[in-house]
Each structure stands twice: as structure tokens, then as C-alpha cells.
Amino acid sequence: MLITFGIMLIFFTGLIVILQRIKVDDKSFTNYAVGDRSFGARYQAMSFLNTWYPGAMFTAFGGMAAASGIISFYVLTYSLLTVVLMYIMAKPVWTWGKVFDLKTQPDLFSLRYNSTHIRTIAAVIG
């Protein structure tokens, strides 16, 4: 255990030293949250899917298959439809984000439902 924490301490100390030397800082929240919108909608969709798909497939859906049996085969259809839907929705959401300067999901929801309460509640919960 001492070795593990020692290695982690060395790693994080090295990371801090490197970041201080190259003086990496975010110029604005937009730069931090959405990368200055330098990535297109297609890249954003693939980025989301590359994080969601393995996490969902290997943890939640794997557990469901073990616990529920044959009913878990719906996952194949669900996952394929999600990939297609995400790809279709990525361009409009990216465009809304650029036009209305949206940085987070609560910003998107408050614009969509015309409510500042949603932004506040989502920010508190998240």
C-alpha cells in the first residue's frame, strides 16, 4: 500500500510540476468546457459514444444479462438505435451550443425549456 501511494504521489507531483512549467491555463470557461468549440459535431458524437458505450455495455448491460437472461438481448437494438440517434442529434445540438453560447447540459435544458430553474437545479444536483 505504501508503494502504491508513493507512486501516486510521485505521479501527481510530477504532473503539477509539468503543468506549472508549461503554464497551461484556461483562458475562459468556454475554453475549458467545450474546447473553444474547435471540435465539430461528428467528433463530439464519437467522443460521447466512445465513453458511454464501453461503460454501459461492460458494466450495466453485462450485469443485466447475467441477472435477467434472454430479455437483455434488447440491448443490441437499444445500443444501435442510440448510436444512430446520437449521430443525428449531434449537429443540431452543436449548432445550438455555438449560436447560444451553451457550455453545459443545464444551459441546453434551460434554453430548450425556457427556464432558469432547470439550470439551477441541474447545477446543484450535478
Side-chain angles (χ1 to χ4, degrees):
M1 189 161 118
L2 186 60
I3 293 172
T4 302
F5 286 124
I7 291 172
M8 288 175 59
L9 179 68
I10 291 169
F11 172 76
F12 286 117
T13 303
L15 183 66
I16 290 169
V17 168
I18 290 170
L19 290 176
Q20 287 295 322
R21 288 204 176 190
I22 62 174
K23 297 191 187 302
V24 171
D25 72 321
D26 298 314
K27 296 168 192 71
S28 67
F29 186 68
T30 302
N31 184 309
Y32 170 76
V34 291
D36 267 342
R37 303 199 194 283
S38 58
F39 303 108
R42 183 173 181 202
Y43 181 82
Q44 294 293 333
M46 292 303 120
S47 174
F48 170 78
L49 292 171
N50 286 334
T51 56
W52 170 80
Y53 200 74
M57 291 304 287
F58 297 127
T59 57
F61 295 150
M64 183 182 159
S68 302
I70 194 73
I71 192 69
S72 64
F73 278 123
Y74 94 95
V75 169
L76 298 173
T77 306
Y78 170 76
S79 296
L80 289 174
L81 290 175
T82 301
V83 169
V84 170
L85 183 65
M86 182 62 194
Y87 190 74
I88 291 169
M89 287 177 52
K91 184 66 174 172
V93 170
W94 187 86
T95 304
W96 291 342
K98 187 170 185 173
V99 170
F100 296 105
D101 194 32
L102 304 176
K103 297 172 188 77
T104 62
Q105 263 187 329
D107 292 340
L108 175 66
F109 290 146
S110 69
L111 173 70
R112 169 64 179 90
Y113 297 106
N114 196 21
S115 169
T116 56
H117 300 300
I118 291 176
R119 180 180 301 164
T120 307
I121 292 169
V124 169
I125 292 173

